[in-house]
Amino acid sequence: MSEEKPPSEEQVREALRAAPPLTLGSGPVEPVTTAAPEPSEVWPLPLGTAWVYYSEGSSCLTHPVILADGFNSGPSSLNDSWDYLDRRDYAFLTALRQRGRDVILVGFNERSASILDNADAVEAAVMRAVASRLGDARLTVGGFSMGGLVTRYALARMESRRIDHQTALYVSYDSPHRGAWIPIALQSFAHYIRKLNSAFSDQMNSPAAQQLLWQHIAEWQDQPATSKLRTEFLSALQQVGDWPRIPRLIGVANGVADGTGNGVRPGELAFEGKGLSVLGSKLFTQSPGDRQLVANLRVVTPPPAKEVHTSGLPGIDGAPGGTLNSFEILANRFNALPPLLGFRSAAPIPSHSFVPAVSAVAVRDLDSDDNLYVGIDSLSPEESELDDFRCASRNEGHTRITEELCTWIMDRLPY
């Protein structure tokens, strides 16, 4: 096979099947092989697992801090979580334990399963912590990204059922309270390559993805809309009061508060296929207006490429907020395939806004540039659904663990 002779669909399917799955998410791209420290306890949970680490020098549970994992495909990994939360820019878990807090990491058997279902794991972890702790210190409960929504719903549901969760503080870390964003260009590409490998499409169509995403498409040629599963999730939240009412509610955003975007401009080329099998594939950043071209799709099939257009969406890719390097992940996965397959690609714009800051601090919806780029710091604090929040000093990677945000959270932990 040469670059002049394209591979067959079967050859491409085999290569994609043998490669790591093409899926999106924050955290390690490849599985972490360095083991996490041995937990003090491991709790089996409905639909999940809790890994418990007592505070430094302690031999029992006294001041529990429950932190739930975020969105991705497949089961949570303790090694991956510990690496991301404690071995990167800031050792958050170590700092918590040095402050006398017990860390309880809640992972899920399937991170892309329904938020409503995975809330069962959080509820079980809360009840186990209440029953197991020595003393009467109230809990801190929250999570990263989707984990903040799972814990938000779990605590609110417990209150609606008159279950005493004994939680003093709720914490969300760059959680999409008003929705998350994966460009329609990328969603359409995921579905377009489904017959070659369904992993990317399956992830975009998973229950959790549909519940999280502000706009979703189920097929490459669909028009973006609010998924039925998202509507049902928001309704379920509303039925339990939207938010827990007993704990103090705080959150942090990986985006700035002054309305400054991340530098990504509308209508720019973000991904381009350069090898023979993907030549003609181009993905563009989201442009406002009617019938805006966001994608040219061609993978293995003969030209011309299929076009994807959108209407009525804002220029959201450049909005202030936590970013996700989705275009880069796609290009890197393709470039890791055998060169003779002809999948060489480039991502001139690696990242896009994934959780806009206005979503993470629950002040605005995502349906207009005016909302997305508003100066949060110019608004009354009462406009947020949170009791207190902190935005990062720069737009940075979604759920990036920084001393700035983590110290702010730890300074507000209950005694």
Side-chain angles (χ1 to χ4, degrees), residues 152-171:
R152 171 183 163 185
Y153 176 73
L155 292 175
R157 187 177 67 179
M158 292 175 77
E159 291 180 9
S160 74
R161 295 174 175 175
R162 304 276 198 272
I163 299 173
D164 185 6
H165 52 58
Q166 299 190 33
T167 299
L169 185 70
Y170 162 82
V171 181

Side-chain angles (χ1 to χ4, degrees), residues 30 33 48 87 163 193 210 223 233 276 370 381:
E30 303 294 342
T33 56
R87 294 184 180 137
I163 299 173
I193 65 171
Q210 294 190 57
Q223 286 300 304
F233 166 63
L276 187 60
D370 286 345

Side-chain angles (χ1 to χ4, degrees), residues 61-66 100-102 104 126 129-131 133-141 155 158-159 163-171 244-248 412-415:
L61 196 68
T62 57
H63 292 80
V65 176
I66 295 176
R101 312 295 168 160
D102 309 297
I104 302 172
V126 168
V130 168
R133 88 199 143 169
L134 186 65
D136 58 1
R138 296 181 72 79
L139 279 59
T140 295
V141 178
L155 292 175
M158 292 175 77
E159 291 180 9
I163 299 173
D164 185 6
H165 52 58
Q166 299 190 33
T167 299
L169 185 70
Y170 162 82
V171 181
R245 300 300 175 183
I246 295 172
R248 180 170 173 78
R412 285 154 180 79
L413 294 176
Y415 292 104

